[in-house]
Amino acid sequence: HIWLPPERYKTGKIYGEQWRVVPEILYPEIEAWLKEWRSVFDPQHDFFFTQEDGQPFSEASSFSSVIKHAAARIAGKQLTSHLIRHMLVT
């Protein structure tokens, strides 16, 4: 599950705390990231994702840019964090 406290998302004041189910198809990738790959960046924080220099993303747009460029490179399609959010909710 992904836990979102009210202060961590746009409509949190309206909907409060949220728990979202992570699709099972993502489990192997999440496990690999947490157990193998994340430590390569020597993160200095507890956030799930980290920048190449080990720092947390300071702006949502910085992380969105990573998603957008990776999707374009791998799939030749535009993908944004907003579209990912819609896919997970749907």
Side-chain angles (χ1 to χ4, degrees):
H1 287 82
I2 296 172
W3 173 64
L4 296 171
E7 65 275 4
R8 298 294 298 193
Y9 70 102
K10 184 170 61 175
T11 55
K13 290 181 181 177
I14 297 168
Y15 298 108
E17 177 181 270
Q18 294 285 310
W19 286 90
R20 297 287 181 198
V21 175
V22 175
E24 286 189 37
I25 195 169
L26 296 178
Y27 288 1
E29 303 302 327
I30 291 171
E31 290 287 326
W33 171 250
L34 291 174
K35 292 181 178 176
E36 299 172 41
W37 300 108
R38 187 176 179 277
S39 63
V40 170
F41 300 98
D42 191 29
Q44 307 300 308
H45 55 83
D46 292 331
F47 293 108
F48 185 81
F49 294 110
T50 189
Q51 295 187 72
E52 290 181 42
D53 64 1
Q55 297 300 310
F57 285 94
S58 58
E59 301 288 329
S61 60
S62 300
F63 184 65
S64 293
S65 178
V66 171
I67 293 170
K68 182 178 177 180
H69 294 299
R73 186 183 78 245
I74 295 167
K77 302 285 183 183
Q78 184 175 5
L79 181 65
T80 64
S81 54
H82 192 74
L83 288 172
I84 292 172
R85 187 177 309 121
H86 280 287
M87 286 187 269
L88 291 172
V89 169
T90 301

